[in-house]
Amino acid sequence: MLKNDLLLKAARGEQTERIPIWLMRQAGRILPEYRAVRSSVHGFKELVKNPELICEVTLQPVDILGVDAAIIFSDILVIPEAMGLNYEMIESKGPFFPKTIQNAQDISVLTTDVVPNLQYVFESIRLTKAALNNRVPLIGFAGAPWTIFSYMIEGKGSKTFSEAKKMLYVNPVLSHQLLDKITSATIAYLKEQIRNGADIVQVFDSWAGVLSKAQYIEFALPYMQKITEAITEVPVILFAKDAHYIVKEFSQTNTSVIGLDWTIDPKQARMEAPNKTLQGNLDPCVLYADKETIKAETHKMLQAFGPQNYICNLGHGVYPDVDFEKAKYFIEVVQSYR
Ligand code: CP3
């Protein structure tokens, strides 16, 4: 039995005595304690494959920030790697894939049998679950098929993801083949995270915003739908960044929670998804402001969402140069709000 199950109750649509809060990217970006662990290893990937250290950095935000959930420290790019497409994490630049997906042959050699290759994640989940000692729920996660596809085609981050979008227009059949493979791998991965202790899972569609609504409906939504239909064990959170155009369609899937970025008005989102718990959506830049402003902006948002069927969060991951004291203050404001 969890001592603090506010997040799960809110996700299931049950009444909560107060609003639960966690922060996307809460582990690893703003804590000096993370940087100390990070500088003790040679690179990001060494950390991501070390269950003891993963456990340590996953617990840091729970201990230091007092959030109502832990999210397992990992990365969405472990899936392409487990499928057979290796990546490098280039210091202060981001991910880089030496080889990208270009044709049918490249797709055919990818495996969807990823579980054996991701044992380090599952071991990390087991360790973290034990160390948490039922204090708060543990969130598992994966990248959305479209976002993973983007990296596999593009090979790195991009403002436009024009190479990935080009594939959608030039070779839609091949695109669906790859998206389908990623989806199968992702479902197996999420199910195994749950089997090892994840209490809830979030699917991050970070590059949803580069697609038109029509493209999202054709190339992204069916796969998100497939994931929400397959994951029946625990609640699912769907988060599609910059895709406020799809909130209504998400409300018609089996998802429990819809994550929102700051470009959508809370009241608008409530109208479009009256049947779902909503999560979000404070602009991460608010945390650069003084405490008075943080409090005022937070209260405005909490009032707009209302106290039930709601999980407080930022509208995207916390920015690395945010003072962790400000993040801590934001969390305190939410937890003391009645
Ligand atoms: O939420 C958490 O605290 C758990 C950890 C987590 C990481 N990545 C650790 C990480 C999570 C949930 C992610 C997800 C992720 N990774 C997403 C989706 C969320 C989003 O922000 O939209 C995406 C798009 C990635 C891909 C990725 N990984 C990029 C673009 C980068 C470089 C820039 C950066 O810092 O985000 C990474 C590296 C990465 N993943 C770091 C961390 C802590 C920084 C690397 C380091 O410490 O050296």
Side-chain angles (χ1 to χ4, degrees):
M1 273 291 281
L2 285 165
K3 291 169 194 120
N4 174 347
D5 63 351
L6 290 169
L7 178 90
L8 299 183
K9 276 187 169 164
R12 293 191 296 248
E14 297 166 14
Q15 292 272 311
T16 54
E17 45 277 34
R18 68 166 175 81
I19 295 167
I21 178 168
W22 66 283
L23 306 183
M24 287 187 273
R25 313 297 297 270
Q26 66 189 18
R29 273 194 162 167
I30 53 172
L31 297 177
E33 289 83 352
Y34 168 77
R35 294 199 190 105
V37 173
R38 178 67 176 77
S39 60
S40 75
V41 295
H42 288 299
F44 177 73
K45 287 185 73 177
E46 194 178 316
L47 178 53
V48 148
K49 294 193 175 173
N50 183 321
E52 279 84 21
L53 293 181
I54 290 178
C55 175
E56 183 177 344
V57 299
T58 301
L59 259 59
Q60 285 171 350
V62 179
D63 294 332
I64 301 163
L65 300 174
V67 282
D68 293 308
I71 175 162
I72 192 71
F73 185 85
S74 188
D75 200 87
I76 62 170
L77 301 176
V78 302
I79 277 288
E81 184 175 70
M83 294 177 77
L85 204 65
N86 186 44
Y87 75 98
E88 297 162 12
M89 193 60 80
I90 298 174
E91 218 58 47
S92 70
K93 274 193 87 176
F96 176 72
F97 288 80
K99 189 187 174 327
T100 58
I101 300 295
Q102 303 296 336
N103 53 46
Q105 168 65 18
D106 295 341
I107 296 174
S108 72
V109 298
L110 295 171
T111 181
T112 56
D113 186 21
V114 290
V115 165
N117 302 337
L118 290 161
Q119 289 303 317
Y120 59 95
V121 178
F122 310 130
E123 189 189 338
S124 306
I125 289 177
R126 292 195 298 273
L127 272 183
T128 305
K129 214 29 207 175
L132 274 172
N133 196 20
N134 287 325
R135 277 187 289 163
V136 291
L138 179 61
I139 305 170
F141 72 90
W146 157 249
T147 289
I148 297 301
F149 174 98
S150 304
Y151 280 111
M152 291 173 91
I153 305 283
E154 200 90 24
K156 54 187 184 317
S158 161
K159 282 205 169 74
T160 56
F161 280 97
S162 55
E163 284 296 319
K165 287 176 72 181
K166 180 168 126 192
M167 180 70 101
L168 302 183
Y169 286 113
V170 171
N171 207 330
V173 173
L174 209 61
S175 297
H176 278 297
Q177 271 169 21
L178 178 54
L179 286 161
D180 205 56
K181 270 196 140 168
I182 297 168
T183 304
S184 301
T186 302
I187 290 171
Y189 179 46
L190 289 172
K191 281 190 173 286
E192 196 64 11
Q193 289 187 44
I194 295 162
R195 219 173 60 79
N196 283 279
D199 298 294
I200 178 167
V201 294
Q202 173 155 321
V203 185
F204 285 91
D205 211 350
S206 303
W207 310 126
V210 299
L211 297 179
S212 67
K213 179 173 181 172
Q215 275 184 315
Y216 199 90
I217 287 173
E218 182 175 354
F219 294 103
L221 182 65
Y223 303 103
M224 293 294 249
Q225 212 147 12
K226 214 167 161 183
I227 292 170
T228 64
E229 275 158 25
I231 305 298
T232 50
E233 305 89 330
V234 300
V236 174
I237 308 169
L238 293 184
F239 172 65
K241 174 78 179 28
D242 291 320
H244 44 266
Y245 56 72
I246 210 72
V247 170
K248 198 169 178 179
E249 282 74 10
F250 276 0
S251 78
Q252 286 148 17
T253 69
N254 278 346
T255 196
S256 295
V257 185
I258 302 173
L260 306 167
D261 68 71
W262 60 90
T263 64
I264 186 161
D265 175 64
K267 293 218 158 96
Q268 177 82 24
R270 283 287 187 213
M271 281 194 308
E272 287 174 13
N275 57 333
K276 299 291 183 188
T277 292
L278 300 180
Q279 172 179 282
N281 74 340
L282 194 75
D283 181 350
C285 290
V286 170
L287 299 187
Y288 293 127
D290 57 30
K291 288 188 169 179
E292 221 172 298
T293 308
I294 293 174
K295 190 174 193 170
E297 291 294 321
T298 303
H299 280 178
K300 223 190 308 178
M301 171 181 72
L302 299 182
Q303 236 152 15
F305 278 109
Q308 299 299 332
N309 301 315
Y310 175 55
I311 297 163
C312 190
N313 207 316
L314 298 170
H316 197 199
V318 62
Y319 293 141
D321 59 343
V322 157
D323 177 357
F324 79 92
E325 293 288 353
K326 296 283 187 63
K328 195 168 176 171
Y329 180 71
F330 168 52
I331 290 156
E332 284 163 9
V333 167
V334 175
Q335 291 177 337
S336 58
Y337 180 82
R338 292 292 185 276

